[in-house]
Amino acid sequence: MRISELSRRSGVPVATIKFYLREGLIPKGEATSATQARYSEDHLRRLRLVRALTEVAGVPLARVRRLLDAVDDTGLGLHELLGTVQYTLSAGEAGEADGEAPQAERVEGLLAELDWRVSPFSPDRRALGRTLEAMDQLGFSPDPGLLARYAEVAHGAAELDVAGIDPDAPRERIVEYMAVCCTLMDRAFASLRRMAQEDASARKLHGRAYEAEERRGDAGAADAAGA
Amino acid sequence: MRISELSRRSGVPVATIKFYLREGLIPKGEATSATQARYSEDHLRRLRLVRALTEVAGVPLARVRRLLDAVDDTGLGLHELLGTVQYTLSAGEAGEADGEAPQAERVEGLLAELDWRVSPFSPDRRALGRTLEAMDQLGFSPDPGLLARYAEVAHGAAELDVAGIDPDAPRERIVEYMAVCCTLMDRAFASLRRMAQEDASARKLHGRAYEAEERRGDAGAADAAGA
């Protein structure tokens, strides 16, 4: 296909495609004349991945390049490839890796209790430690039991995430799924969680009002609270 | 207590406290001389809340003010107060409320299927619609069944969130908890989820390698993969 069709099918403007070509983020097409080139389905897949990483997940170009190297390195197993994706996506949040990781023992203890297989190099160990430290400073330190319950819920979400991976799909597509899943699915989940909080609050806190009204025998108010 | 003690106990610098006082975000202390004032536990609580909202949750000052009005309006029930907190925190993400909400029918259908009590004015309806639209455009549209399973997991997290609310605590403290819970707990949850993905991937995808190695009768490699 020509660059115009590549643009149409990917939804990426021609100028952006040309920029990606110049930056070497997608390979050059097969030249058909001095000014034209032909592109394949491989180009389309790569283009979609680059767009998902840069525009959706907000990954800087230098890190996109490193990630593409991992996609091309077919010696790298799928689990290792996913690790590279995750660590690339988490690196920004985890902050500088210099110095001692905050709350490292607490994070270590939690992972041990959960019996999770997490690499000692996961940037999310540090990211979690930093967040726990911030919560401590505000006087909202979750106790280990509560943290473990949140972790179990998080594992439920992660199982759905990983179940969505088709190990036989092209590597670009798998990485694109992970990038989308780690960002857009996270965002969708945050919305769902806040709406679920509203529902849980309606049931728990409205419930309290409802019972209080019922005890007072005020049926009208009870109907209103339960509506 | 004097402003210096207020600063020490809250961890907020004196200059920042003075700024909050000028902006009317915390009430003036009781004047003890022309240049000094005395502050109470109420001031400390209010100060902690303002800090959590501005520094942790990143809420703009104008919206902090509206939220404090809701805290002071004791005619507002707890469920309504929490709604105000959530909507204030979500407003940025949901984008402009002008025009038709994207994917409104799909979000409506999901909430109906889940039987969640969510106000028609929740900004997260719009936020979720926008995220689903973005996923569609990338060709990763979760089907209704999968979305409902994610929603159920999100409800599990929300139940833990709401269970942490102590209805008898001071209103400032409850709002502070919700703000912290909606931001720092979200961040902690994202870290937990990514580590859980690593664990789930290790079990699912390494498992595949493990079985493949075992079928080949290569016990050494199987041990290595399973380690």
Side-chain angles (χ1 to χ4, degrees):
Chain A
M1 72 191 95
R2 294 214 183 145
I3 196 165
S4 54
E5 192 185 344
L6 191 62
S7 169
R8 192 180 52 72
R9 287 185 59 193
S10 64
V12 178
V14 169
T16 308
I17 298 178
K18 285 186 173 167
F19 170 72
Y20 289 160
L21 282 164
R22 273 199 309 275
E23 292 287 318
L25 294 173
I26 54 173
K28 297 212 181 310
E30 188 197 336
T32 54
S33 78
T35 56
Q36 291 198 327
R38 202 162 34 212
Y39 299 91
S40 66
E41 294 296 319
D42 289 346
H43 288 95
L44 183 61
R45 254 198 305 273
R46 178 61 56 113
L47 182 55
R48 283 191 172 139
L49 172 58
V50 171
R51 186 189 47 169
L53 291 170
T54 54
E55 291 174 32
V56 181
V59 178
L61 286 189
R63 269 196 256 146
V64 169
R65 219 180 296 269
R66 247 184 296 161
L67 211 77
L68 295 177
D69 288 342
V71 171
D72 291 332
D73 179 2
T74 50
L76 207 63
L78 201 48
H79 176 64
E80 287 70 27
L81 178 59
L82 294 183
T84 308
V85 178
Q86 284 195 317
Y87 293 5
T88 303
L89 293 170
S90 311
E93 258 177 65
E96 285 304 311
D98 298 337
E100 210 168 319
Q103 310 255 349
E105 267 179 47
R106 194 164 157 206
V107 172
E108 187 62 52
L110 175 69
L111 293 174
E113 187 199 329
L114 294 164
D115 191 28
W116 284 6
R117 302 183 194 176
V118 176
S119 154
F121 303 110
S122 166
D124 278 302
R125 289 174 175 260
R126 177 177 287 266
L128 179 60
R130 277 164 54 102
T131 307
L132 291 176
E133 193 172 55
M135 294 181 90
D136 277 2
Q137 282 161 4
L138 291 165
F140 290 103
S141 190
D143 67 51
L146 182 62
L147 210 52
R149 289 181 67 192
Y150 273 112
E152 276 155 26
V153 173
H155 207 282
E159 279 165 36
L160 292 175
D161 297 336
V162 171
I165 297 173
D166 171 8
D168 301 316
R171 288 166 73 91
E172 273 96 351
R173 192 70 185 155
I174 294 176
V175 171
E176 193 188 342
Y177 166 80
M178 285 302 290
V180 166
C181 159
C182 282
T183 50
L184 289 181
M185 244 316 172
D186 253 22
R187 209 178 296 165
F189 192 84
S191 291
L192 287 169
R193 180 178 181 171
R194 277 189 298 257
M195 289 194 282
Q197 283 173 349
E198 182 174 334
D199 177 69
S201 154
R203 289 172 199 278
K204 185 188 171 191
L205 305 175
H206 255 169
R208 266 170 68 97
Y210 184 82
E211 285 161 24
E213 296 297 343
E214 271 206 322
R215 274 197 301 273
R216 272 189 272 150
D218 184 344
D223 280 353
Chain B
M1 72 192 95
R2 295 219 183 140
I3 197 164
S4 55
E5 193 186 343
L6 192 63
S7 168
R8 192 180 51 72
R9 285 185 59 194
S10 65
V12 178
V14 169
T16 308
I17 298 178
K18 287 187 173 168
F19 170 72
Y20 289 159
L21 282 165
R22 273 199 309 276
E23 292 287 318
L25 295 172
I26 53 174
K28 298 213 182 309
E30 186 196 340
T32 53
S33 78
T35 56
Q36 290 199 330
R38 202 162 35 210
Y39 299 90
S40 66
E41 295 296 319
D42 288 347
H43 288 95
L44 183 60
R45 256 199 304 273
R46 178 62 56 113
L47 183 55
R48 282 191 173 139
L49 171 57
V50 171
R51 184 189 49 171
L53 290 170
T54 55
E55 292 174 31
V56 180
V59 178
L61 285 191
R63 269 197 253 145
V64 169
R65 219 181 297 267
R66 247 183 298 162
L67 212 76
L68 294 178
D69 288 343
V71 171
D72 290 333
D73 178 3
T74 49
L76 207 64
L78 201 48
H79 176 63
E80 287 70 28
L81 177 59
L82 294 183
T84 309
V85 179
Q86 283 194 319
Y87 293 4
T88 303
L89 294 170
S90 311
E93 258 177 64
E96 285 306 312
D98 298 336
E100 211 170 319
Q103 310 255 348
E105 268 180 45
R106 194 163 157 206
V107 172
E108 187 62 51
L110 175 69
L111 293 175
E113 187 199 329
L114 294 165
D115 191 26
W116 283 6
R117 301 182 194 177
V118 177
S119 153
F121 305 110
S122 166
D124 278 303
R125 288 174 177 258
R126 178 176 286 266
L128 179 60
R130 277 163 56 101
T131 308
L132 290 176
E133 193 172 55
M135 294 180 91
D136 277 3
Q137 281 162 4
L138 291 165
F140 290 102
S141 190
D143 66 51
L146 182 62
L147 209 52
R149 289 180 67 192
Y150 273 111
E152 277 154 26
V153 173
H155 207 283
E159 280 165 36
L160 293 175
D161 297 336
V162 171
I165 296 173
D166 171 7
D168 302 316
R171 288 165 73 93
E172 272 96 350
R173 191 69 183 158
I174 295 176
V175 171
E176 192 188 342
Y177 166 78
M178 284 302 289
V180 166
C181 161
C182 280
T183 50
L184 289 182
M185 244 315 173
D186 252 22
R187 208 178 297 164
F189 192 85
S191 291
L192 287 169
R193 180 178 181 170
R194 278 189 297 257
M195 289 195 281
Q197 283 173 348
E198 181 172 335
D199 177 70
S201 152
R203 289 173 199 277
K204 184 186 171 191
L205 305 174
H206 254 169
R208 266 170 69 99
Y210 184 84
E211 285 162 24
E213 296 297 343
E214 270 205 325
R215 275 197 300 275
R216 273 188 272 151
D218 183 345
D223 281 352

